């Protein structure tokens, strides 16, 4: 542009200001800024044109052009602010939260009834002073059978439908433990009395129908000291069963029985009602067998290096699925081992239903 008259500069300024005013977004405004003030911008070109003027003309034209440049820059800044405000407003509008909408449904995880039952019984036995003990799932003959006084020709070996593993390099045939009782042996071999432990854990038997699964859970308890008698066994079990089922006057019956590892042995029944095809624990005139128990056999103590003249103890073992089914009214084993989320929602527990003897189960 060769014309340096005031009118020409005013027309140039008006044109540039219009270009700024017409930019309708930050991106468009930035493009306009580059087109005006960038290296190849038209105002930049005009400023470069100053060098071709005669010195006396250049001074006035330079001043006028600088003022024009400042005016355009100020307009760009102002427009930038306005556009940013507008864009923010638009975003806030788009992102606004409608607090009147109904909340989205939350999926809350549920605790499986087995760990729930384990937590409950651990809370009860924990407060009675029992510690948690564990043992391996693959056991040898000594811990699973012979130390428990179950000798090689004893029918219990067949009765328990044992899973045998192939013989190892030394020809020893290990088994999947058929009960949690081997943990008694491991504990007595590694700790000195007084001993009070429970061991919840997996057990395995080759048995599969509506009420049996080849893998199931038992909890074993063992107490060994110098003056333990059947009264302790009875008191502990009655207190446990009443706390677990939450029934203060739950009838509990001890019936003479036989286990190779206890002498005397007793099976324990709880009172129940079977009328109308439904089983209700704690009501009615029927009895339901729930666990096996007894005073630890002197030979078992000897097998673990304890002197039976000095030490006595009691032990008991029960199936966890069974006591969970009875307490929560679960009619069959399927919910325990099929990962069906619908069953879990129905039979599961909320994570915060943590049991305690003090606060109640
Ligand atoms: N081990 C037995 C079973 O699996 C249960 C049992 C009975 C455990 C009596 C004991 C007990 O500790 O004293 O059938």
């Amino acid at each position: 542009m060769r014309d340096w008259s005031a009118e020409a500069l005013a027309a140039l300024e008006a044109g540039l200001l219009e270009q700024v005013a017409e930019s309708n977004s930050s991106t468009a405004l930035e493009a306009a800024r580059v087109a005006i003030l960038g290296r190849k911008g038209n105002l930049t070109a005009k400023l470069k044109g100053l060098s071709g003027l005669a010195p006396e003309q250049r001074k006035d034209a330079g001043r006028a052009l600088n003022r024009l440049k400042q005016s355009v820059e100020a307009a760009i800044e102002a427009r930038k602010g306005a556009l940013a405000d507008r864009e923010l407003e638009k975003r806030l509008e788009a992102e606004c939260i409608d607090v009147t909408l109904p909340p989205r449904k939350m999926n809350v995880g549920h605790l499986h009834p087995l760990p729930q039952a384990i937590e409950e019984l651990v809370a009860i036995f924990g407060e009675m002073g029992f510690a948690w003990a564990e043992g391996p799932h693959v056991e040898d003959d000594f811990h699973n059978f012979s130390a428990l006084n179950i000798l090689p020709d004893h029918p219990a070996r067949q009765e328990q439908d044992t899973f045998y593993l192939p013989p190892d390099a030394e020809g020893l045939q290990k088994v999947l433990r058929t009960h949690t009782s081997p943990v008694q042996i491991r504990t007595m071999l590694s700790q000195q009395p007084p001993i009070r432990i429970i061991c919840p854990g997996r057990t395995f038997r080759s048995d599969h129908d509506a009420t049996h699964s080849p893998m199931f859970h038992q909890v074993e308890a063992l107490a060994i000291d110098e003056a333990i008698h059947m009264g302790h066994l009875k008191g502990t079990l009655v207190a446990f069963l009443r706390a677990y089922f939450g029934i203060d006057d739950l009838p509990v019956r001890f019936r003479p029985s036989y286990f190779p590892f206890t002498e005397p042995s007793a099976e324990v029944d709880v009172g129940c009602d079977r009328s109308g095809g439904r089983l209700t624990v704690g009501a009615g005139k029927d009895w339901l067998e729930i666990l096996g128990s007894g005073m630890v056999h002197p030979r078992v103590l000897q097998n673990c290096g304890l002197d039976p003249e000095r030490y006595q103890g009691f032990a008991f073992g029960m199936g966890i699925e069974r006591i969970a089914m009875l307490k929560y009214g679960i009619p069959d084993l399927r919910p325990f081992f099929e990962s069906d989320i619908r069953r879990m929602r129905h039979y599961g527990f909320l994570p915060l239903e943590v049991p305690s003897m003090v606060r109640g189960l």
Side-chain angles (χ1 to χ4, degrees):
M1 192 158 71
R2 310 221 161 258
D3 192 351
W4 293 91
S5 68
E7 297 75 45
L9 291 182
L12 174 65
E13 181 174 357
L16 296 180
L17 291 179
E18 196 181 320
Q19 199 179 339
V20 170
E22 279 172 358
S23 302
N24 266 328
S25 68
S26 305
T27 341
L29 180 65
E30 178 58 12
R33 192 193 63 79
V34 172
I36 298 167
L37 293 165
R39 230 159 24 94
K40 290 183 181 152
N42 44 11
L43 192 52
T44 312
K46 186 79 182 162
L47 283 160
K48 278 185 191 152
L50 284 172
S51 58
L53 295 182
E56 62 281 6
Q57 203 189 350
R58 193 189 300 157
K59 204 172 147 202
D60 289 345
R63 197 176 295 135
L65 208 52
N66 258 329
R67 200 206 47 76
L68 189 155
K69 186 180 172 208
Q70 280 165 12
S71 139
V72 173
E73 278 173 346
I76 291 177
E77 275 315 299
R79 183 74 186 144
K80 205 185 217 172
L83 283 174
D85 286 352
R86 218 174 71 185
E87 280 161 17
L88 180 66
E89 238 165 67
K90 261 198 196 155
R91 238 184 64 202
L92 289 178
E93 227 167 78
E95 289 174 8
C96 110
I97 295 168
D98 182 354
V99 290
T100 65
L101 283 176
R104 227 171 268 163
K105 206 169 150 260
M106 270 211 294
N107 273 327
V108 179
H110 286 79
L111 200 59
H112 190 284
L114 260 178
Q116 173 73 20
I118 292 175
E119 277 193 26
E120 291 183 14
L121 61 91
V122 164
I124 300 170
F125 285 120
E127 291 187 26
M128 290 192 207
F130 285 79
W132 178 310
E134 282 184 2
H137 294 161
V138 173
E139 269 297 5
D140 51 29
D141 185 278
F142 174 76
H143 293 92
N144 197 78
F145 295 123
S146 53
L148 286 159
N149 200 31
I150 308 173
L151 299 170
D153 53 355
H154 197 284
R157 295 202 179 200
Q158 279 83 56
E159 270 166 32
Q160 295 201 349
D161 298 315
T162 312
F163 282 116
Y164 286 93
L165 273 71
D168 63 14
E170 287 143 34
L172 285 176
Q173 195 162 28
K174 293 205 168 167
V175 300
L176 293 182
R177 69 178 183 193
T178 54
H179 49 179
T180 41
S181 304
V183 188
Q184 288 186 20
I185 303 300
R186 292 186 174 273
T187 309
M188 285 188 274
L189 285 171
S190 62
Q191 288 174 32
Q192 281 305 306
I195 291 171
R196 282 186 215 171
I197 51 131
I198 54 161
C199 23
R202 288 185 178 168
T203 47
F204 307 86
R205 290 185 198 178
S206 179
D207 206 352
H208 201 179
D209 58 37
T211 53
H212 293 90
S213 147
M215 190 282 293
F216 60 105
H217 294 73
Q218 285 189 342
V219 57
E220 186 87 10
L222 175 73
I224 305 280
D225 209 337
E226 289 191 6
I228 295 216
H229 52 72
M230 269 201 96
H232 295 121
L233 168 64
K234 206 171 167 190
T236 304
L237 275 175
V238 170
F240 165 71
L241 291 168
R242 290 186 172 164
Y244 176 78
F245 286 108
I247 304 171
D248 289 343
D249 56 355
L250 177 73
V252 180
R253 177 173 84 170
F254 284 70
R255 210 167 12 84
S257 182
Y258 171 77
F259 298 102
F261 31 89
T262 43
E263 183 57 38
S265 304
E267 271 172 332
V268 178
D269 303 336
V270 290
C272 71
D273 178 38
R274 284 203 180 83
S275 59
R278 273 194 60 167
L279 184 75
T280 315
V281 172
K285 293 195 180 65
D286 301 318
W287 293 101
L288 178 73
E289 184 207 316
I290 200 152
L291 61 93
S293 69
M295 300 305 291
V296 179
H297 196 294
R299 222 172 287 145
V300 173
L301 294 170
Q302 266 164 353
N303 291 341
C304 298
L306 295 177
D307 176 5
E309 295 298 321
R310 182 170 171 200
Y311 294 113
Q312 313 78 41
F314 67 74
F316 52 87
M318 67 190 115
I320 303 181
E321 285 82 359
R322 182 163 164 78
I323 60 165
M325 283 163 76
L326 289 171
K327 177 166 178 181
Y328 312 135
I330 303 175
D332 60 49
L333 267 176
R334 279 173 304 169
F336 290 98
F337 305 121
E338 276 176 9
S339 304
D340 186 329
I341 198 81
R342 293 164 305 176
R343 285 217 174 87
M344 239 353 77
R345 283 206 187 105
H346 185 73
Y347 290 116
F349 291 82
L350 291 177
L352 288 179
E353 292 177 79
V354 179
S356 144
M357 278 285 267
V358 181
R359 285 187 287 114
L361 294 172

